[in-house]
C-alpha cells in the first residue's frame, strides 16, 4: 500500500514562499473582519451615509389651523394633523388637568366634554374639532366656587391618589347630563369606562348620586 501523502493534503510550503506578499487565508479573514467592522461602525455613527439624504429630503408632517373654544375662551392654533385633543390641551394650552393614562382610550383619565358630550381626548384628533366647545376640569369651577360634583367628590372622599379624578368628574357630569343616574347600578354601568386603580368606585358612585339628586 502506498504511503504517499496526496498533494491536496500536503502541508503548505515553507521557506522562501512564507515571505510572499500574497495574503494567507488567516490574514484575509482578519483583514476583512476589521474592515467590515469599520464600514458598519461608520454607517451607524456617521448616519448621513445611509440616512442623511432621506432625512434631508423628508417633507414636514401636514399641519392644519383649527379654532375652538376651550373653557369659554376662543383659541386658534396650527398643529400637526396627528395631534390629539389631549396633547393639544396639555402641550399647547398648558391645561394639564386632563391626564394621560393609557393613551389608548381604555382608562378614561383624559375624559373631557366636547359640545356637552364626554369623549376620550387621547383618541380625538384636534383638527376635527373646528368650532367645537371643549370643557376640561379646569373650566368647571367659577372662581373659588367648585362645581357641585367636584364638591361631592370632596364630601364623599371619592379619591385617593387623584390621578383619575379629573376624568372621573368629567365623565360623571356627562353621565348626569345624559340622564343615566336612576340607580347606583346604572351609574356604575355608564361610568365603567373610567378606571380607578385605588378602588374608590363606591364613593365615586355616591358622589355622582348626590350631585344628580341636587341638580
Amino acid at each position: 500500500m502506498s504511503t504517499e501523502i496526496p498533494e491536496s493534503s500536503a502541508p503548505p510550503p515553507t521557506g522562501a514562499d512564507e515571505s510572499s506578499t500574497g495574503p494567507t487565508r488567516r490574514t484575509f479573514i482578519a483583514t476583512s473582519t476589521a474592515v467590515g467592522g469599520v464600514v458598519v461602525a461608520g454607517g451607524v455613527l456617521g448616519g448621513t451615509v445611509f440616512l442623511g439624504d432621506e432625512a434631508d429630503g423628508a417633507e414636514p408632517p401636514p399641519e392644519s389651523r383649527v379654532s375652538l373654544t376651550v373653557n369659554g375662551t376662543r383659541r386658534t392654533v396650527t398643529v400637526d394633523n396627528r395631534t390629539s385633543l389631549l396633547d393639544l390641551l396639555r402641550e399647547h394650552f398648558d391645561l394639564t388637568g386632563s391626564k394621560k393614562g393609557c393613551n389608548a382610550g381604555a382608562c378614561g383619565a383624559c375624559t373631557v366634554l366636547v359640545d356637552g358630550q364626554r369623549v376620550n381626548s387621547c383618541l380625538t384628533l384636534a383638527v376635527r374639532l373646528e368650532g367645537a366647545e371643549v370643557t376640561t376640569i379646569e373650566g368647571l369651577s367659577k372662581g373659588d366656587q367648585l362645581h357641585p360634583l367636584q364638591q361631592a367628590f370632596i364630601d364623599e372622599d371619592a379619591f385617593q391618589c387623584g390621578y383619575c379624578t379629573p376624568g372621573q368628574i368629567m365623565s360623571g357630569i356627562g353621565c348626569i347630563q345624559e340622564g343615566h343616574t336612576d340607580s347606583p347600578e346604572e351609574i356604575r354601568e355608564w361610568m365603567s369606562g373610567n378606571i380607578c386603580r385605588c378602588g374608590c368606585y363606591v364613593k365615586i358612585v355616591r358622589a355622582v348620586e348626590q350631585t344628580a339628586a341636587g341638580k
Side-chain angles (χ1 to χ4, degrees), residues 141-161:
S141 61
K142 296 179 180 179
D144 294 334
Q145 182 180 356
L146 296 177
H147 184 280
L149 187 53
Q150 289 177 304
Q151 187 61 54
F153 263 66
I154 295 174
D155 296 340
E156 296 294 337
D157 195 22
F159 54 89
Q160 286 189 40
C161 77

Side-chain angles (χ1 to χ4, degrees), residues 71-167:
N71 298 331
T73 301
R74 188 72 172 177
R75 293 176 177 265
T76 301
V77 64
T78 300
V79 294
D80 184 324
N81 288 353
R82 299 165 296 182
T83 303
S84 68
L85 173 57
L86 178 60
D87 285 338
L88 178 68
L89 294 172
R90 292 179 58 85
E91 306 299 334
H92 293 263
F93 299 158
D94 200 28
L95 297 172
T96 56
S98 303
K99 303 305 181 187
K100 182 177 285 191
C102 65
N103 207 32
C107 72
C110 66
T111 304
V112 300
L113 300 180
V114 175
D115 294 331
Q117 302 296 313
R118 48 185 169 163
V119 302
N120 290 321
S121 60
C122 71
L123 297 183
T124 305
L125 288 176
V127 294
R128 302 192 66 181
L129 299 179
E130 177 65 33
E133 292 193 12
V134 179
T135 304
T136 72
I137 190 70
E138 291 92 342
L140 293 184
S141 61
K142 296 179 180 179
D144 294 334
Q145 182 180 356
L146 296 177
H147 184 280
L149 187 53
Q150 289 177 304
Q151 187 61 54
F153 263 66
I154 295 174
D155 296 340
E156 296 294 337
D157 195 22
F159 54 89
Q160 286 189 40
C161 77
Y163 195 84
C164 76
T165 303

Side-chain angles (χ1 to χ4, degrees), residues 3-61:
T3 59
E4 182 180 350
I5 300 176
E7 183 176 345
S8 60
S9 302
T14 60
D17 290 343
E18 284 187 340
S19 62
S20 173
T21 56
T24 64
R25 181 172 177 273
R26 183 187 303 276
T27 305
F28 176 77
I29 293 174
T31 304
S32 300
T33 303
V35 172
V38 171
V39 171
V40 172
V44 173
L45 296 178
T48 56
V49 175
F50 302 108
L51 303 178
D53 293 341
E54 291 183 10
D56 292 341
E59 296 183 0

